[in-house]
Amino acid sequence: MDPDFLRAWQTLAGLGTPFAAGANPAAPGGDTADGFAPFAESARRFAAAAQAFLAGGATAQPAAAAGAFGDFLRDQFAGLFKPPWPWPAAAEPPSGRASAEAPVLGLGREHVLRAERAARAWARLVEAHGRLHRLWFDALRDAAAAFTAGLPPPAQEPPDAQTIDRLYDTWIECAEEAYARIAHGPAFCDALADYVNASSEWREESGATAEAWARLFDLPTRREINTLTERLRALEEEVRMLRAAPAPKAAPRPRAKAREQPANADGKPRRAHERARGAGKKSKP
Amino acid sequence: MTAGGTSGAGPRAEEREGCSAREEIWSCGKLRLYRYRSIAKPARGAPLLIVYALVNRPYMMDLQEDRSLIRGLLTHGLDVYLIDWGYPDGADRFTTLADYIDRLLHGCVERISSLHGGAPLNLLGVCQGGVLSLCYAALHRERVRNLITMVTPVDFHTPADLLSKWVRKIDVDAWVGSGNVPGDALNQLFLALMPFRLMQQKYVELWRSRPGPEKLRDFMRMEQWIFDSPDQAGAAFREFVTWFYQENRLARGTLRIAGRAVELGALEMPILNLIGARDHLVPPAASAALERLAGSADVTTIELDLGHIGMYVSARAQREVPAAIAHWLSTR
């Protein structure tokens, strides 16, 4: 393990548990422990919110305090379910055609239609992503509601780290349960399938455009390479079958009488000097 | 012979190949077949071939000395072999399940068999590798003496199977296209099964447990394995998702590989099925279906209170799983 990473980690761990008072991972984590920073920061924020709630013994409105805690959690985890690639922000601009009903004519017809299909797929992708996002927020809302419903009443004493530890685990439990309920449901499954299917279609149409450009510049395309790969596979299979097949029995030795001159490809008998050609010849280096 | 070295096949320099000494005894394309050197007492009985999943790297079976199923099996005197499927690339996009099962896995079995006088071997399939093993054993019954499956889905349509629900309406042909499926995309899907635990709590938990350097190393080793996900050969992936997850052909008895029917009812050899009671990837019911569907009169099911990953690397698994396998084999 990288010693710098270990040192940075030890510094981070030396601050105490994530929920201990005074733990501030943002400061001395060091470059190599940066990977932990988002989680440590998230824990720190959770601890701060939990302390604010639990230590608010004098608050006159515990329900409002719990609600604020719940809102915090929803904000805190809103961006958790993010893929490593950029999420679509908006539909691609339209292709420029005034009406989708108007016929596309002429030389560029196929290209225009392909661009339109890609744009429509992108729009569906954005729409499905929106549905997924709403369902994610629904899960967070349900999780926050379940969590705050089970919160202990605010106390006079400031909470210790173990109390916040337990609260954190309870929150994760509530969040997973709420998410699982939604993720198993048909609305989520449909939205996910629509999202994947739209992205597949967009990729297909965009890939076709890229291939059209590649052909224009005489660059090899994926399609060509696939054709070659398939041919290679077929050849490999043929070789395997030939190797696996039992060796053909040796042909019976022709008798002297039958030792006639073999024919050429055109059916004409080969001449003696043709047969002999090369047989005793030394090859040149 | 290599031990803990790198083969150069992986994408990262720090990639691990496992901690136990082993020898490559056969290869075919990117596949490597390894035989492990016995460490406790001379290996006895039929050889045991471990068939790992395509979706992760097999060094999880031999992660480190105190977390190694393979080491545990060697300690019990078993003669252990492991298939490393390698990292598929663009040239492997047309590799099918028939290639994996009937050509590559069969090639490994033939090779091992040739070293053991042609005798049938014991097969240990892990997760998706268990599915491949079930198919293989059904197609080549005479080659498999005993079959062990570990966290292996059999019925893909059980109510708790979230992955299966998610992919049911996905157009898999369009999704895969003509290419491979990136390992990162699959990881994204796996993380999304339990996002709060896997993307948040796990790391907070690490900090909270204040591990020393050794524990931190263990964590990082595991982290590396989790995200060291090979791309999936497109054709095989398309078949796997369509035939198993969407159409549940294995459980329904309608699966055909290389033109031949794969019938679980044809599995007449003794079977040991190891299930993780807290497995979020392969729900227990999905695995337990094997007992009902297999034709064997000798099916043993062991359910351990472990999750999917815990089944390979937890302290309890180290104590119980190799011992259970070795004991079960010794009585057959």
Side-chain angles (χ1 to χ4, degrees):
Chain A
M1 189 163 43
D2 179 3
D4 288 343
F5 175 84
L6 183 60
R7 209 172 307 117
W9 168 260
Q10 283 167 334
T11 311
L12 182 68
L15 296 170
T17 71
F19 304 118
N24 181 7
D31 290 345
T32 46
D34 273 356
F36 287 102
F39 313 110
E41 175 61 13
S42 164
R44 189 191 64 77
R45 283 189 194 158
F46 182 90
Q51 275 160 351
F53 170 77
L54 291 172
T59 182
Q61 296 175 307
F69 196 4
D71 289 345
F72 156 78
L73 291 170
R74 289 166 64 180
D75 291 343
Q76 168 92 347
F77 289 88
L80 177 66
F81 191 25
K82 237 177 14 189
W85 53 87
W87 284 84
E92 272 192 344
S95 65
R97 218 154 43 107
S99 162
E101 305 303 319
V104 184
L105 304 170
L107 189 61
R109 174 189 151 80
E110 289 308 311
H111 300 290
V112 172
L113 289 177
R114 193 190 304 125
E116 287 184 356
R117 286 195 298 272
R120 281 197 297 272
W122 188 262
R124 284 205 307 280
L125 188 147
V126 171
E127 186 276 328
H129 168 253
R131 270 188 285 150
L132 278 175
H133 222 72
R134 280 194 294 281
L135 289 162
W136 174 250
F137 283 120
D138 287 351
L140 285 175
R141 179 200 61 211
D142 296 351
F147 175 72
T148 51
L151 281 173
Q156 296 290 348
E157 296 296 313
D160 56 16
Q162 283 76 25
T163 306
I164 301 175
D165 259 3
R166 281 196 298 275
L167 267 188
Y168 181 78
D169 288 343
T170 307
W171 157 245
I172 295 291
E173 198 79 20
C174 290
E176 286 294 2
E177 278 175 16
Y179 171 70
R181 271 194 300 277
I182 282 177
H184 275 271
F188 191 94
C189 296
D190 287 349
L192 188 63
D194 290 345
Y195 178 77
V196 173
N197 292 343
S199 64
S200 303
E201 194 185 336
W202 177 81
R203 189 189 57 181
E204 166 77 22
E205 299 298 348
S206 305
T209 301
E211 292 231 335
W213 279 103
R215 284 197 299 275
L216 197 63
F217 290 103
D218 195 26
L219 295 170
T221 64
R222 184 71 253 174
R223 207 177 293 263
E224 287 167 7
I225 296 171
N226 283 352
T227 304
L228 292 174
T229 309
E230 278 178 329
R231 280 185 197 164
L232 196 60
R233 267 179 65 82
L235 280 172
E236 283 173 349
E237 182 58 29
E238 217 168 294
V239 170
R240 264 194 300 276
M241 284 170 68
L242 286 171
R243 281 185 182 153
K249 285 181 184 169
R253 256 213 148 116
R255 291 176 191 171
K257 188 182 163 189
R259 205 179 280 163
E260 289 176 1
Q261 291 176 357
N264 280 332
D266 58 4
K268 291 177 183 169
R270 288 168 70 184
R271 285 179 298 199
H273 76 268
E274 276 184 5
R275 275 186 283 128
R277 188 162 29 182
K281 209 169 164 182
K282 284 181 185 171
S283 58
K284 287 181 181 173
Chain B
M1 187 79 72
T2 60
T6 57
S7 69
R12 290 193 290 267
E14 73 270 22
E15 180 200 279
R16 290 183 59 85
E17 295 293 319
C19 63
S20 303
R22 64 185 188 176
E23 181 186 10
E24 182 184 312
I25 61 159
W26 189 65
S27 68
C28 182
K30 295 184 175 71
L31 178 147
R32 300 284 178 274
L33 174 63
Y34 294 101
R35 182 181 197 173
Y36 284 83
R37 187 190 282 168
S38 58
I39 54 173
K41 43 192 171 182
R44 61 164 192 270
L48 175 69
L49 172 60
I50 300 177
V51 184
Y52 197 70
L54 303 168
V55 295
N56 276 111
R57 299 288 296 142
Y59 58 84
M60 171 53 101
M61 297 284 97
D62 190 32
L63 198 61
Q64 58 192 61
E65 287 196 11
D66 58 345
R67 293 183 184 201
S68 166
L69 175 74
I70 286 174
R71 246 176 145 69
L73 295 168
L74 292 170
T75 306
H76 285 86
L78 297 175
D79 187 4
V80 180
Y81 294 79
L82 173 79
I83 298 175
D84 179 345
W85 301 107
Y87 292 87
D89 61 25
D92 303 302
R93 62 185 55 209
F94 300 117
T95 303
T96 62
L97 282 181
D99 289 320
Y100 277 117
I101 294 165
D102 225 27
R103 184 163 63 81
L104 296 171
L105 175 50
H106 186 56
C108 292
V109 172
E110 293 267 274
R111 174 69 187 138
I112 296 168
S113 195
S114 72
L115 296 174
H116 294 266
L121 48 63
N122 298 322
L123 211 52
L124 165 54
V126 181
C127 187
Q128 184 192 27
V131 178
L132 303 182
S133 300
L134 285 167
C135 294
Y136 181 80
L139 292 172
H140 300 273
R141 278 174 287 170
E142 73 290 351
R143 294 291 197 181
V144 182
R145 184 166 155 178
N146 298 294
L147 176 62
I148 303 159
T149 48
M150 203 168 147
V151 288
T152 295
V154 176
D155 182 347
F156 287 76
H157 284 185
T158 55
D161 198 331
L162 186 52
L163 266 184
S164 166
K165 285 179 183 172
W166 280 355
V167 301
R168 221 66 76 77
K169 290 183 181 171
I170 287 178
D171 180 346
V172 184
D173 281 340
W175 184 23
V176 176
S178 69
N180 289 339
V181 175
D184 280 349
L186 291 185
N187 259 329
Q188 181 70 24
L189 210 57
F190 296 147
L191 290 177
L193 291 172
M194 291 200 306
F196 296 91
R197 279 194 219 291
L198 302 178
M199 294 196 257
Q200 188 75 205
Q201 189 188 31
K202 182 176 91 170
Y203 302 101
V204 171
E205 178 61 38
L206 176 75
W207 185 19
R208 162 157 91 166
S209 66
R210 303 176 74 180
E214 277 309 310
K215 290 282 176 203
L216 184 60
R217 258 184 216 109
D218 292 354
F219 180 90
M220 295 307 293
R221 204 173 279 130
M222 183 70 101
E223 190 74 352
Q224 179 195 307
W225 173 81
I226 289 170
F227 294 104
D228 183 6
S229 306
D231 292 349
Q232 296 298 292
F237 183 84
R238 181 190 295 116
E239 290 171 350
F240 195 79
V241 175
T242 308
W243 295 349
F244 293 89
Y245 276 100
Q246 292 188 329
E247 298 173 357
N248 203 16
R249 289 189 189 185
L250 183 62
R252 287 187 176 151
T254 55
L255 180 64
R256 296 182 75 82
I257 299 281
R260 289 161 15 242
V262 176
E263 290 167 358
L264 293 177
L267 297 173
E268 290 169 348
M269 67 287 291
I271 297 172
L272 170 62
N273 191 19
L274 295 157
I275 298 174
R278 286 187 279 125
D279 192 332
H280 73 287
L281 276 171
V282 180
S287 289
L290 183 58
E291 189 157 349
R292 171 170 50 87
L293 296 168
S296 172
D298 179 3
V299 181
T300 307
T301 302
I302 299 178
E303 188 168 314
L304 296 165
D305 187 25
L306 294 168
H308 194 80
I309 308 292
M311 202 71 165
Y312 322 135
V313 293
S314 68
R316 182 175 174 191
Q318 302 313 302
R319 282 193 310 273
E320 296 184 19
V321 174
I325 291 172
H327 173 73
W328 183 82
L329 284 174
S330 71
T331 56
R332 275 154 187 90

